[in-house]
Amino acid sequence: MGAYILRRILLMIPTLLGIMAISFAVIQFAPGGPVEQVIAKLTGQGSDRLSGGGGDGVAGGSNFGEGGEGSSKYRGAQGLDAEFIAKLEKQFGFDKPPLERFGLMLWNYARFDFGESYFRDISVLDLILEKMPVSISIGLWITLLSYLISIPLGIRKAVKDGSAFDVWTSGVVIVGYAIPGFLFAIMLMVFFAGGSFFDWFPLRGLTSENFDQLSIGGKILDYFWHLALPLTAMVLSAFATTTLLTKNSFLDEIRKQYVVTARAKGLSERQVLYGHVFRNAMLIIIAGFPGAFISAFFTGSLLIENIFSLDGLGLLGFRSVLDRDYPVVFANLYIFSLLGLFVSLISDLTYTWIDPRIDFDRRDV
């Protein structure tokens, strides 16, 4: 097992290097870099940043102009002093060749030195840690809720396979999975957050303004009061896949010979189901838990965070891309890619912890 873990860890290095290299190369051809963002604000053209109208300027320093006044290649920079443009390039580190910047970035990231945000007076790591509680709250609760709903429902559907209960719950699950989370979030806002009907739940943030003044019980209630609508919007589609996977896994195990033998020995259906079938059927479900958490943590909350004004990692990454705040963009990419690779390894190892019969050492990576 040690050799397998070592091979997987060593494979993470070229994988992570490839992810960063491809992303860095793509950035070189993205219009509207940070220098152009500053120029746009100075010349009153900041509203154009979302249009992608970067003209001939290329973010990341692959097309920086050297000319004097009136000859800059940055859109809107005509009339600005060339020395000022050069200072901007140096400030953002774009006075160096792309390969040198990429190598320096990798060296710093290997030491977990992510620098500072271009447009916020704070280190990138502190900024990520500041936004992390919101995303952890969403990712943790959505994963727990989806599993608490999916597993009992999937087992019940397997036991009642083909019954009316199985048919109508499958319909509910499929419809819930088909409805986009953001659309359901808007529906919840309209009905329950002061849209056109009821004003029962807050629309913004994770806590109220007087949160610090509340008692411990009041803080807990206020926290879940703010999370009610976002979690409801996300859980609707989150549990569908796990429910059907649980059902199919149990059905596959129930039809095996050892279940027939256990029933022949006179064991009750409950003893057969939870004493013999459960462990084997839940192998794939439990092993997938780390990946499900990471998925909900990092990829499932962007639109929900925007709709409910939750200032988490999803919203941070989205705004950083719009602002061309490259230190934040690449730090998020690096941290989440690295974490995703380790979670993938943990998921594989979980199989061996649950079922000792699985031995990765006998298989090629």
Side-chain angles (χ1 to χ4, degrees), residues 297-313:
F297 191 0
F298 298 126
T299 65
S301 61
L302 172 57
L303 292 174
I304 301 299
E305 287 182 14
N306 273 282
I307 292 172
F308 291 102
S309 299
L310 299 173
D311 197 8
L313 292 173

Side-chain angles (χ1 to χ4, degrees), residues 128-280:
I128 292 175
L129 293 176
E130 178 185 312
K131 310 299 182 183
M132 193 168 286
V134 173
S135 293
I136 289 179
S137 295
I138 296 175
L140 179 62
W141 288 113
I142 198 64
T143 305
L144 289 178
L145 284 175
S146 64
Y147 270 70
L148 288 175
I149 295 173
S150 301
I151 293 175
L153 181 58
I155 296 174
R156 185 68 175 174
K157 285 174 64 62
V159 173
K160 299 290 185 179
D161 184 41
S163 66
F165 173 82
D166 180 42
V167 173
W168 74 261
T169 52
S170 294
V172 172
V173 167
I174 293 173
V175 170
Y177 184 75
I179 298 177
F182 74 90
L183 181 60
F184 193 64
I186 295 174
M187 292 170 56
L188 291 175
M189 289 173 55
V190 172
F191 281 97
F192 301 110
S196 302
F197 297 90
F198 306 103
D199 191 8
W200 292 348
F201 295 95
L203 190 57
R204 304 176 62 86
L206 198 60
T207 56
S208 301
E209 294 181 358
N210 63 337
F211 182 78
D212 294 333
Q213 303 171 5
L214 299 175
S215 62
I216 295 179
K219 289 181 178 179
I220 294 175
L221 290 175
D222 182 75
Y223 170 74
F224 284 107
W225 183 47
H226 283 76
L227 274 178
L229 294 187
L231 289 183
T232 303
M234 295 182 67
V235 78
L236 186 67
S237 60
F239 72 89
T241 302
T242 309
T243 298
L244 297 179
L245 186 61
T246 302
K247 174 193 172 182
N248 293 332
S249 182
F250 268 79
L251 283 177
D252 184 57
E253 293 295 326
I254 287 173
R255 294 164 181 164
K256 290 185 177 179
Q257 184 61 42
Y258 74 89
V259 176
V260 177
T261 304
R263 286 171 177 166
K265 291 180 178 180
L267 297 179
S268 66
E269 196 65 25
R270 185 177 183 85
Q271 288 176 319
V272 171
L273 190 63
Y274 292 101
H276 294 76
V277 175
F278 187 82
R279 178 179 177 179
N280 294 329

Side-chain angles (χ1 to χ4, degrees), residues 24-46:
F24 187 86
V26 170
I27 286 297
Q28 306 309 304
F29 301 97
V35 175
E36 289 180 314
Q37 297 290 323
V38 175
I39 292 174
K41 291 178 181 178
L42 292 176
T43 57
Q45 301 175 12

Side-chain angles (χ1 to χ4, degrees), residues 24 28 60-63 94-104:
F24 187 86
Q28 306 309 304
S62 63
N63 196 19
F94 293 160
D95 56 329
K96 302 179 180 66
L99 286 179
E100 182 179 347
R101 286 188 284 110
F102 181 66
L104 182 61

